[in-house]
Amino acid sequence: MRKDDAMTGPDRDVQAAPPRLRSVVRAMIWATVPVLLLVQLLASAGVEASSFWSQIRQLDARIARTAESRGELIAEPLWKMRYDQVTSVLNEIMHDETIAAAAVYDDTGVAIARVVARPSVQAVAEISRPINYSNGNITVQAGRIAIAYSYATVYADTGSRLLLLLVVGLLATFATMVAMRISANIFIGKPLAAIMSAIQRSKQDGRAYPADIGSSNEFGQLARAFNAMQDTTSGALDRLGHMAAHDPLTGLPNRRSLSERLADLSGAAGSPDSLIAFCFIDLDDFKGINDTFGHDAGDKLLVHISERLREAIEPQDWVARLGGDEFVVIRPEVSNEATAQAFARQLLDAISEPIRLHDKQVVPRASIGLAVRRAGDPELSHLPALADIALYHAKSKAPGTVAVLDEALQRDYRRRRDLELAIPTGFAEGQFEVWYQSLVDLESHAVAGLEALIRWRHPEHGLIGPGEFLPLIERSGNNARLTRYVLTDACRALQRLAAAGKPQIRIAINLPPSELADHSLAAELRATCLRFGVAASMLELEITEGSLINNIASASETLHRLRRLGATIALDDFGTGYSSLAHLRRFPLDKVKIDKAFISEIPDSAEDKAIVGIIASLAGTLGLTLVAEGIERPEQAQAMREMGVRFGQGYLYQRPQPLEAVLQWLEGQRGSDSRVDSPSIAPEFAA
């Protein structure tokens, strides 16, 4: 922190402002006074130089006149050789201080008279004039007169005047500087100090302080404009402060306000043992609302939900919108956890009241994660994260309900976090294993293909099924990496199958929805097949209905590229999504796999048999091959054969196993026309 930041309050403002103002005035003076002084000196020097040269010219003219007048006086004495008179005339001009010497020369150039008034250390000038004698009859040149004179007097006078002008200029400059200093402080310094003081005080506490300047000059106008700006800025800052702490759509406090609220609750709680209920609310299928009715209707729904939450809470409660379709409600005091759960269910009931969107009645649904903590709990600031753990459980296990945070949920959360953080290491160390489950011809019991299923053999948690870690793979953005991992293993398995004399067996791999938007998948599949020397036609790519419908344009293009390579496209888990074969005719499908949910109750369920029969009829019309998943009993296989389903998959034939076990199982089937049961390696991970 800087030294000047350590001093706060009005004293700091008073002490900090004057140096800034003095610097402004000083800068103005130092920028003006030297220029003024220089102009004065140059003007004075110009005047004196003109006067100096004028005096020089006057002196030259005067000496010339003196020489001419003296020459006339000494013409006759010189001609008649009365040299004493010549000397006497020369002596008469020696009283002139500027004349240093004078001399007279006859017509032969001989000096006949010389007078020296005083020695001169300075350079002297000399002027010479002819002496003409005339007696009325003749005019002759009798000789010449020369006078030496000095400019010392002119120099001395000019120097004294220059010194006087310099002194006067300095005094005038000093007086100007004092006057400028006084006027600058009055007309500039004080107004700036008033404005700066108002700015410093405003910075200190954020309030508007007017600059008190009553003059009508430019600074007075500036002060009035500044005061008006202060008023406008103050109102704008208030609005910005409100916007920074509140959601612009609903007007509720936002995520930024949540931390402040939790800090207030922690410090203002009446007793550290009082319980605080934190409800984390997330609307169910809000994306569906936006997709069906548009985002304007979605915003209308959010505003409606916020109003219902306001109406459902008590004055001491607090409600906020964190963003998207997430809301938070805090009740600062509850008697116990059961009371908190009852309060959360009341919120769900309030949310679930029907609302009309575009003349359609919609019943909003939500899930709530509830965390209850004591006011003195050090984890109070972590309430949003703790309630989010419970919300995750509610959304994944039982949407539309209240899930209360407990130790089991926290253990599950810590396990999920550990696994999610361990995903990069799992790939790097080859902890992910690809197991295979057979696809069997229901008539001949011959193995027609294998489905690649991923498992994770974690060094601490043991063997983990895909239902637990695949959502973590997707959330961490590693779907593409996992797909390439399985694809590589599948191509390697095709090599092994060909070497074992089973070149006709194809391998199916599952494609996550995100891969259907990746147009580079076909090129990578082709490159991988070339690297292992296997044909792309030996691969079957399984996709789900939801991934198709949610990515129609990109999915269609990607599937056509894969189909052109020779790969087979299968629709997995049919019947659990949109269930519209007519709608899916636009996609290049070869095979449909009926979800095991329709197989498990056959042959006892007439309804399921009717559904499967309809699916088989439609598939036959569209030229699609049918596969029944989840066959576990012989009577189910018999029912499938009777309904025209050609292929089956399930525990009745083989459980998922590592490739080595599958190869041994296939070797045991060689030469046998009947089904050979496989050992139960890991039945809990068969899905």
Side-chain angles (χ1 to χ4, degrees):
M1 183 174 67
R2 299 178 303 178
K3 291 182 178 180
D4 57 348
D5 290 339
M7 180 172 61
T8 59
D11 291 338
R12 176 190 172 190
D13 298 335
V14 173
Q15 296 177 17
R20 294 172 181 254
L21 299 176
R22 283 199 299 269
S23 66
V24 171
V25 174
R26 188 184 301 115
M28 183 187 69
I29 291 174
W30 283 110
T32 305
V33 170
V35 176
L36 178 63
L37 179 60
L38 179 62
V39 169
Q40 288 180 342
L41 291 177
L42 290 176
S44 300
V47 171
E48 287 303 318
S50 177
S51 176
F52 172 76
W53 290 114
S54 177
Q55 292 181 50
I56 291 294
R57 288 192 297 272
Q58 291 175 6
L59 178 60
D60 290 341
R62 182 168 59 82
I63 297 300
R65 289 194 301 272
T66 300
E68 291 173 355
S69 64
R70 295 300 112 177
E72 293 176 356
L73 292 175
I74 63 177
E76 184 178 352
L78 176 62
W79 178 257
K80 295 180 178 181
M81 298 183 188
R82 293 196 290 270
Y83 297 137
D84 54 341
Q85 292 181 12
V86 172
T87 302
S88 176
V89 172
L90 292 181
N91 285 330
E92 291 177 0
I93 65 174
M94 289 299 105
H95 67 276
D96 192 334
E97 295 180 354
T98 61
I99 297 176
V104 176
Y105 301 91
D106 63 12
D107 56 351
T108 64
V110 177
I112 60 158
R114 186 186 299 274
V115 179
V116 177
R118 62 191 65 80
S120 177
V121 296
Q122 296 181 351
V124 295
E126 182 178 308
I127 192 169
S128 176
R129 290 289 185 271
I131 302 174
N132 297 317
Y133 172 71
S134 176
N135 60 2
N137 296 319
I138 62 171
T139 299
V140 296
Q141 183 175 343
R144 64 184 178 86
I145 182 172
I147 300 176
Y149 58 96
S150 172
Y151 295 136
T153 303
V154 178
Y155 288 153
D157 291 344
T158 301
S160 62
R161 283 196 300 272
L162 283 175
L163 180 61
L164 178 61
L165 287 173
L166 177 62
V167 173
V168 172
L170 290 174
L171 291 175
T173 302
F174 178 75
T176 302
M177 183 175 65
V178 172
M180 288 180 64
R181 178 63 179 271
I182 295 172
S183 61
N185 279 331
I186 293 174
F187 297 110
I188 299 177
K190 288 184 178 179
L192 285 180
I195 295 174
M196 184 62 68
S197 176
I199 292 174
Q200 293 291 342
R201 294 172 69 188
S202 298
K203 286 173 58 179
Q204 181 179 346
D205 56 17
R207 292 187 296 170
Y209 291 92
D212 187 12
I213 300 176
S215 63
S216 59
N217 59 14
E218 289 84 350
F219 277 101
Q221 297 176 15
L222 176 62
R224 286 189 288 275
F226 171 78
N227 294 337
M229 183 186 69
Q230 283 276 79
D231 294 338
T232 303
T233 303
S234 177
L237 288 175
D238 291 341
R239 291 191 296 273
L240 285 175
H242 184 273
M243 291 172 61
H246 291 78
D247 172 49
L249 177 64
T250 63
L252 293 174
N254 59 13
R255 188 180 297 273
R256 177 181 176 182
S257 300
L258 177 58
S259 299
E260 300 175 359
R261 181 62 179 174
L262 291 175
D264 293 342
L265 287 174
S266 179
S271 168
D273 293 330
S274 60
L275 294 177
I276 296 175
F278 188 98
C279 300
F280 203 138
I281 305 171
D282 186 270
L283 301 182
D284 296 333
D285 195 29
F286 181 67
K287 182 179 183 300
I289 296 291
N290 279 331
D291 293 343
T292 304
F293 298 99
H295 290 277
D296 290 341
D299 289 345
K300 178 182 177 182
L301 176 64
L302 293 174
V303 173
H304 194 74
I305 295 298
S306 67
E307 293 173 353
R308 289 181 176 180
L309 290 176
R310 283 192 181 101
E311 295 170 358
I313 62 175
E314 299 295 333
Q316 71 273 15
D317 300 334
W318 190 79
V319 59
R321 180 192 176 207
L322 302 189
D325 58 344
E326 295 180 342
F327 295 85
V328 161
V329 177
I330 300 176
R331 172 155 284 186
E333 284 195 37
V334 293
S335 55
N336 51 48
E337 188 175 285
T339 305
Q341 291 186 53
F343 172 60
R345 285 192 290 271
Q346 290 176 9
L347 297 177
L348 279 186
D349 293 339
I351 293 172
S352 300
E353 290 293 328
I355 178 177
R356 298 196 68 82
L357 297 175
H358 295 317
D359 296 328
K360 302 288 185 181
Q361 182 167 287
V362 177
V363 179
R365 299 296 182 192
S367 302
I368 295 182
L370 173 64
V372 180
R373 285 291 182 270
R374 299 193 180 279
D377 196 319
E379 285 190 333
L380 194 63
S381 61
H382 300 154
L383 272 177
L386 296 173
D388 191 35
I389 295 172
L391 178 62
Y392 179 89
H393 177 78
K395 297 286 285 187
S396 59
K397 303 298 182 182
T401 62
V402 177
V404 183
L405 180 71
D406 55 21
E407 289 299 325
L409 290 184
Q410 293 192 72
R411 283 195 302 271
D412 290 343
Y413 171 76
R414 286 191 291 269
R415 177 181 169 92
R416 286 198 309 274
R417 288 295 298 156
D418 290 344
L419 292 179
E420 190 169 0
L421 294 174
I423 287 174
T425 303
F427 279 112
E429 297 182 356
Q431 296 173 7
F432 292 100
E433 300 177 1
V434 182
W435 288 14
Y436 296 89
Q437 185 180 29
S438 63
L439 177 71
V440 178
D441 188 310
L442 295 179
E443 292 292 342
S444 65
H445 293 170
V447 176
L450 298 174
E451 181 179 358
L453 302 170
I454 192 70
R455 302 290 185 267
W456 186 358
R457 194 177 297 278
H458 194 278
E460 295 180 8
H461 300 290
L463 198 62
I464 305 172
E468 182 176 3
F469 70 81
L470 283 182
L472 305 179
I473 293 279
E474 181 177 2
R475 192 167 68 176
S476 64
N478 283 285
N479 266 342
R481 187 174 184 181
L482 182 63
T483 300
R484 275 63 174 175
Y485 189 93
V486 175
L487 175 62
T488 300
D489 197 274
C491 289
R492 188 180 294 112
L494 286 172
Q495 277 187 327
R496 297 283 303 278
L497 287 168
K502 301 287 185 179
Q504 78 283 1
I505 295 181
R506 302 155 59 87
I507 292 183
I509 63 175
N510 293 280
L511 290 184
S514 58
E515 288 299 279
L516 295 182
D518 186 357
H519 294 165
S520 67
L521 176 62
E524 293 192 26
L525 183 142
R526 180 175 181 274
T528 306
C529 289
L530 288 175
R531 180 156 55 95
F532 286 95
V534 299
S537 59
M538 298 306 295
L539 289 173
E540 183 174 292
L541 306 175
E542 296 188 2
I543 55 178
T544 62
E545 294 178 70
S547 63
L548 287 179
I549 302 305
N550 293 332
N551 305 276
I552 290 178
S554 59
S556 179
E557 182 177 353
T558 299
L559 293 179
H560 277 93
R561 290 183 180 184
L562 295 170
R563 183 75 174 281
R564 284 194 293 269
L565 292 176
T568 302
I569 309 298
L571 184 62
D572 196 13
D573 299 334
F574 183 76
T576 61
Y578 291 86
S579 303
S580 175
L581 284 174
H583 181 73
L584 299 176
R585 283 183 302 172
R586 73 181 66 181
F587 300 107
L589 300 177
D590 301 288
K591 186 179 295 185
V592 172
K593 302 182 74 173
I594 306 172
D595 189 73
K596 60 184 178 182
F598 299 101
I599 310 298
S600 60
E601 301 298 327
I602 290 178
D604 300 329
S605 173
E607 181 180 349
D608 287 344
K609 289 182 66 176
I611 292 174
V612 173
I614 293 172
I615 293 174
S617 176
L618 290 173
T621 302
L622 296 174
L624 300 175
T625 302
L626 274 183
V627 178
E629 296 182 301
I631 297 179
E632 298 182 359
R633 302 189 306 275
E635 55 268 28
Q636 291 175 332
Q638 179 62 32
M640 292 300 103
R641 286 194 295 270
E642 293 173 354
M643 285 186 284
V645 179
R646 180 178 177 183
F647 296 100
Q649 187 176 358
Y651 292 173
L652 179 64
Y653 302 104
Q654 184 236 336
R655 296 179 183 273
Q657 297 171 289
L659 182 61
E660 292 297 335
V662 172
L663 290 174
Q664 293 178 12
W665 177 71
L666 290 174
E667 184 65 27
Q669 273 198 326
R670 187 184 298 273
S672 174
D673 292 334
S674 61
R675 175 181 56 84
V676 179
D677 291 329
S678 65
S680 175
I681 293 183
E684 65 272 28
F685 300 127

